Amino acid sequence: MADLLPEVLKHLEALVSFDTRNPPRDIGTGGIFDYLRTQLPDFRITVTDHGAGAVSMLAVRGAPKRVFNVHLDTVPSSPAWSADPHTLRVTADRAIALGACDIKGAAAGLVAAARRTTGDVAFLFSTDEEANDARCIAAFLASDHGFEEAIVAEPTMGQAVLAHRGISSVLMKFRGEAGHASGAQARDTSALHAAIRWGSQAMDFVQAQDHLRFGGLTGLRFNIGRVEGGIKANMIAPRAELRFGFRPLPSQSLETLHELFRSFAPAGMLASYEETFSGPSLPSGDVARAEERRLAARDLADELGMPIGNAVDFWTEASLFSQAGMTALVFGPGDIAQAHTADEWVSLDQLATVSATYQRLMEAS
């Protein structure tokens, strides 16, 4: 098999040159999609604008039963970048650019492999993954798509990942009673005190879950990301907001965890509890169904000759395909540790190896 890497790097150079940062979600149906159209001339292509910068492109050649999914949006670039994040830099061992790892490197590999082959294959490109607003995938799954399997090309270091955590983000609002901080009631009527007490109880609960295990994952991941409220030190806070997120094991119920977290609020002081984003675990379903789907994904990886890796802590949209009843796994070049970093990079070895695997799968279809 001839070396694909030069072609992959050519496509990656083009893909990273398009500004698809999310936010600001300023992504339309042209630009990067025009480029993909020209590179996939033998595909039937449907581009759909779902609003708010969410654009999907379904490209199909032949009659495949498997779809490759790859998102084209990136996180914003930080001031810590040492050079233009939209200009590809290639060193002896890595390709550096915004999205090179997460996950335009995989997109470049898929395009390069498609241009070398003629077999049946389908790609679903999307631009809303980094927004935690999966309009593209939801619309695809609600359609009469006819696919049975999905390979989501997030960075897994070239190994098939069969399981990962779910994810949930929550906005909580606490109510208090405004007053002078010198009063004895300040301890019990401050909305900020209620938020802090909630956080202490939540942290104790999370620590008590450390013994739980599923597929190599342990415990419950949890983070309080923001607390705000109050006016000044000598005034009792009448209002407070707290944002937190948690990532359960596939064997844990999101609904049960929400009930528990909600119950930790001091009596009468919880104004509202709103889940702002939710994603199921991979595989999805109850414990028995999750294990059944994991075994199906393992069989698919074995059939495709993919090395199988460990379960991971980060979330991917593979879980949405699994929830819809498809056999889904995650497979792509790069290390998640490089995603969302300044001078983000993907190793050339992994780009070459994974792209060759993509080509092999397309030739075998």
Side-chain angles (χ1 to χ4, degrees):
M1 186 178 295
D3 184 11
L4 259 183
L5 185 58
E7 295 175 45
V8 174
L9 292 175
K10 180 191 72 174
H11 293 302
L12 182 56
E13 180 179 28
L15 292 174
V16 301
S17 72
F18 294 100
D19 185 352
T20 54
R21 287 175 291 185
N22 191 354
R25 304 183 69 163
D26 185 19
I27 305 171
T29 57
I32 197 167
F33 292 104
D34 287 340
Y35 177 80
L36 291 170
R37 286 187 187 94
T38 65
Q39 300 306 312
L40 303 172
D42 54 342
F43 282 69
R44 304 186 302 278
I45 291 177
T46 304
V47 176
T48 306
D49 188 343
H50 305 278
V55 180
S56 65
M57 172 176 164
L58 180 62
V60 182
R61 184 172 66 193
K65 66 175 182 178
R66 180 185 314 126
V67 62
F68 290 89
N69 168 240
V70 55
H71 69 84
L72 300 172
D73 55 328
T74 72
V75 294
S77 54
S78 75
W81 276 80
S82 64
D84 181 1
H86 293 111
T87 299
L88 182 68
R89 289 174 283 156
V90 180
T91 69
D93 62 352
R94 61 184 64 173
I96 307 165
L98 182 61
C101 175
D102 187 13
I103 57 177
K104 290 181 177 179
L110 288 167
V111 171
R115 291 177 61 85
R116 285 273 192 98
T117 59
T118 58
D120 295 357
V121 65
F123 303 138
L124 177 63
F125 298 100
S126 61
T127 65
D128 58 2
E129 196 271 349
E130 299 293 0
N132 289 341
D133 180 18
R135 301 183 186 198
C136 295
I137 303 301
F140 169 81
L141 292 173
S143 70
D144 185 19
H145 57 78
F147 295 100
E148 301 172 7
E149 302 166 356
I151 296 177
V152 176
E154 293 281 357
T156 63
M157 301 183 70
Q159 297 181 316
V161 166
L162 314 181
H164 65 60
R165 296 178 183 275
I167 185 171
S168 181
S169 300
V170 176
L171 168 62
M172 297 182 73
K173 295 183 179 181
F174 296 86
R175 64 170 68 94
E177 295 180 13
H180 197 285
S182 63
Q185 79 276 20
R187 184 180 61 189
D188 298 320
T189 59
S190 167
L192 277 173
H193 293 181
I196 291 169
R197 285 186 173 127
W198 177 89
S200 177
Q201 191 167 352
M203 292 291 288
D204 288 342
F205 167 75
V206 171
Q207 186 173 357
Q209 310 306 302
D210 285 351
H211 66 285
L212 298 178
R213 283 169 168 71
F214 183 95
L217 301 174
T218 59
L220 174 65
R221 295 290 186 266
F222 173 86
N223 181 61
I224 297 174
R226 186 179 181 88
V227 181
E228 57 184 331
I231 302 166
K232 55 188 297 190
N234 64 353
M235 297 178 67
I236 299 171
R239 291 179 298 276
E241 289 188 1
L242 182 150
R243 293 180 182 271
F244 77 98
F246 63 95
R247 296 171 184 255
L249 299 171
S251 55
Q252 293 179 293
S253 163
L254 279 173
E255 291 75 16
T256 299
L257 289 169
H258 280 303
E259 290 176 8
L260 286 167
F261 283 127
R262 190 182 291 107
S263 73
F264 298 154
M269 302 190 76
L270 181 62
S272 64
Y273 182 104
E274 175 191 359
E275 184 179 48
T276 58
F277 177 74
S278 176
S281 60
L282 176 72
S284 65
D286 56 28
V287 176
R289 179 63 60 84
E291 180 61 12
E292 176 185 322
R293 289 175 173 166
R294 187 187 71 83
L295 293 175
R298 185 194 65 184
D299 290 344
L300 175 60
D302 287 340
E303 175 190 338
L304 300 179
M306 293 178 173
I308 296 177
N310 296 324
V312 297
D313 288 314
F314 61 90
W315 184 80
T316 79
E317 291 179 326
S319 61
L320 302 179
F321 294 95
S322 175
Q323 186 181 55
M326 298 173 66
T327 300
L329 56 83
V330 192
F331 177 78
D335 185 341
I336 195 64
Q338 306 306 326
H340 300 187
T341 63
D343 292 340
E344 174 185 345
W345 59 272
V346 60
S347 79
L348 300 184
D349 283 346
Q350 286 196 15
L351 271 181
T353 300
V354 171
S355 298
T357 300
Y358 291 154
Q359 180 177 344
R360 175 174 58 80
L361 298 183
M362 294 178 202
E363 288 174 340
S365 64

